[in-house]
Amino acid sequence: MPLLYDNHGRRINYVRLAVTDRCNLRCAYCMPAEGVRFGPRSTLLSYEEVLRLMRLLVGMGIDKIRITGGEPFVRRDIMDLFEGLAGIPGLNTIALTTNGTLTKPRIPALKRLGIRKINLSLDSLDPERFQMITRRDDFYAVWNTLDELVREGFEVRINAVVLRGINEQDLVPFAHLTREYPVGVRFIEEMPFNGSGMEQGELYWNWKRIIDEIQLAFPALEKLPDPPHSTSMNYRIPGHAGSIGVIPAYTRTFCGTCNRLRITPSGLLKTCLYDKGVFNVRDLMRAGATDAEIQTAVQEAIGDRARNGFEAEERALGNRSSRESMTTIGG
Ligand code: SAM
Ligand code: SF4
């Protein structure tokens, strides 16, 4: 298997692919209530294009993909894409990030395809707060998905964005949840990608404050070793089945070991969460590029990666703003 390195010596083996910008929720930190301007369906990478791209990337050294969105399960026939991805030799891990509202009926098929690593977004354990954040009344659908995933033995992580004045009272209950549930609850610093154009001031709930708050309730909280390339700093409470993590998405302390590329629903390749996109793979494919030409373009992008999220943001200056929504980036 070939190994792929960027210009800073970081090995790249992971792609996050957002398969749609559409979503059935309207999480306030991700999208305005009216949604964002969704691209026409023809702008989406087709499943054939995704599978071709993934075969080429696997041929270069990628061995892990995470499907994200928007909400992956709102895209028609998404299981067909999963089936195709599961058949790519060398693609060792297929993971999924979902809001959990439409996921439960798909669990048997996911299991059959060997898609066992699921990140479930759940920002509150209180149905009313859940509704306030997501602007939809779907708490129990997500909760039932969580229960079923755990029962079926999936590797589950709960992603919870911590929002000042909105869900901070959920921090300790989530920590309690890890007592019985063998899940990794990961608190994410809020990033200014909510599609509204509002700039975020200094972040109140940064990773340090989140951990301090949990430590106050659980003084025995202990640090776990972090897996290589982990974006989270991980902890556990002795005696609990699950773990707790914090993702410094805003503070950006994880860039030094970043191993990932991102592909947006319309085929823009990003080498950093904070860049404005390097080139459009879909356009290249539709213009008739050969496999070798596509691989060369990817190689060049990886050879010119920003050192970290701050440099990427600086390079993108004037192009990227908080009008961007996470639904087009995929988290
Ligand atoms: N719809 C799926 C879901 O919610 O899991 C997948 C897409 S969603 C954009 C991927 C992840 O990005 C979610 O865990 C979500 O919480 C996170 N996210 C979205 N907007 C964010 C923001 N402004 N700051 C931090 N995380 C954000
Ligand atoms: Fe939809 Fe996920 Fe964004 Fe929430 S975070 S609006 S579920 S894409």
Side-chain angles (χ1 to χ4, degrees):
M1 156 126 188
L3 298 182
L4 190 60
Y5 289 94
D6 74 6
N7 47 323
H8 304 287
R10 294 171 293 200
R11 185 173 163 213
I12 310 292
N13 70 327
Y14 175 24
V15 166
R16 295 176 64 100
L17 172 75
V19 286
T20 177
D21 50 2
R22 287 158 211 263
C23 188
N24 57 336
L25 300 185
R26 289 288 179 274
C27 304
Y29 52 75
C30 180
M31 270 200 250
E34 66 281 10
V36 292
R37 195 183 306 182
F38 299 117
R41 281 177 209 284
S42 60
T43 62
L44 295 182
L45 278 173
S46 70
Y47 291 165
E48 291 70 30
E49 287 166 337
V50 170
L51 293 174
R52 177 181 177 206
L53 176 62
M54 284 315 300
R55 277 189 210 103
L56 294 178
L57 293 177
V58 169
M60 297 174 73
I62 298 292
D63 61 9
K64 172 175 178 185
I65 185 172
R66 175 171 295 279
I67 304 292
T68 174
E71 174 49 35
F73 289 107
V74 304
R75 184 147 176 197
R76 196 174 306 148
D77 300 327
I78 189 71
M79 296 311 291
D80 293 349
L81 177 67
F82 292 171
E83 192 102 36
L85 289 170
I88 298 181
L91 188 55
N92 299 334
T93 306
I94 304 173
L96 176 67
T97 300
T98 171
N99 65 29
T101 54
L102 308 169
T103 314
K104 191 168 173 233
R106 311 295 197 176
I107 290 176
L110 292 172
K111 201 169 177 180
R112 182 173 55 77
L113 291 174
I115 302 176
R116 310 192 56 87
K117 289 176 187 278
I118 311 276
N119 286 4
L120 195 65
S121 297
L122 178 62
D123 307 304
S124 179
L125 292 172
D126 174 79
E128 273 179 34
R129 278 200 294 280
F130 176 93
Q131 180 163 6
M132 189 163 78
I133 296 166
T134 64
R135 304 183 176 111
R136 298 290 185 271
D137 183 15
D138 280 332
F139 173 82
Y140 289 102
V142 183
W143 183 255
N144 291 338
T145 295
L146 171 65
D147 248 358
E148 185 70 4
L149 287 170
V150 169
R151 207 185 348 258
E152 289 295 328
F154 282 74
E155 216 177 292
V156 182
R157 295 193 298 207
I158 294 176
N159 284 347
V161 182
V162 184
L163 307 159
R164 188 174 194 186
I166 296 179
N167 67 349
E168 54 230 326
Q169 59 274 59
D170 281 290
L171 288 172
V172 172
F174 268 123
H176 277 292
L177 183 79
T178 64
R179 208 171 113 103
E180 304 297 336
Y181 280 71
V183 300
V185 172
R186 301 180 329 152
F187 298 109
I188 309 179
E189 289 181 352
E190 185 183 11
M191 287 177 277
F193 296 152
N194 57 21
S196 74
M198 283 161 53
E199 286 301 333
Q200 193 177 20
E202 199 185 319
L203 186 74
Y204 183 81
W205 283 107
N206 58 40
W207 69 270
K208 182 75 175 65
R209 199 178 296 248
I210 294 170
I211 285 300
D212 287 350
E213 182 79 2
I214 291 171
Q215 197 144 37
L216 216 55
F218 295 97
L221 185 73
E222 60 184 33
K223 183 79 187 69
L224 290 171
D226 298 320
H229 311 293
S230 175
T231 52
S232 56
M233 289 173 267
N234 301 290
Y235 299 79
R236 70 186 277 270
I237 299 165
H240 283 210
S243 63
I244 293 168
V246 274
I247 303 186
Y250 186 75
T251 313
R252 286 168 256 184
T253 52
F254 45 60
C255 302
T257 57
C258 180
N259 63 342
R260 58 196 61 191
L261 300 177
R262 290 179 164 79
I263 315 272
T264 71
S266 57
L268 202 58
L269 181 130
K270 290 167 73 80
T271 58
C272 174
L273 175 61
Y274 283 87
D275 73 23
K276 64 178 188 346
V278 185
F279 75 96
N280 193 305
V281 196
R282 179 206 61 201
D283 291 348
L284 207 58
M285 286 185 178
R286 293 189 188 171
T290 63
D291 289 355
E293 283 166 347
I294 294 166
Q295 285 180 321
T296 302
V298 172
Q299 188 75 59
E300 279 171 12
I302 291 173
D304 185 35
R305 259 180 120 210
R307 179 175 297 278
N308 54 41
F310 297 101
E311 191 184 313
E313 193 169 39
E314 218 171 275
R315 287 193 195 178
L317 213 64
N319 291 295
R320 215 220 76 237
S321 81
S322 58
R323 271 188 206 290
E324 210 169 349
S325 161
M326 197 63 102
T327 193
T328 60
I329 307 175

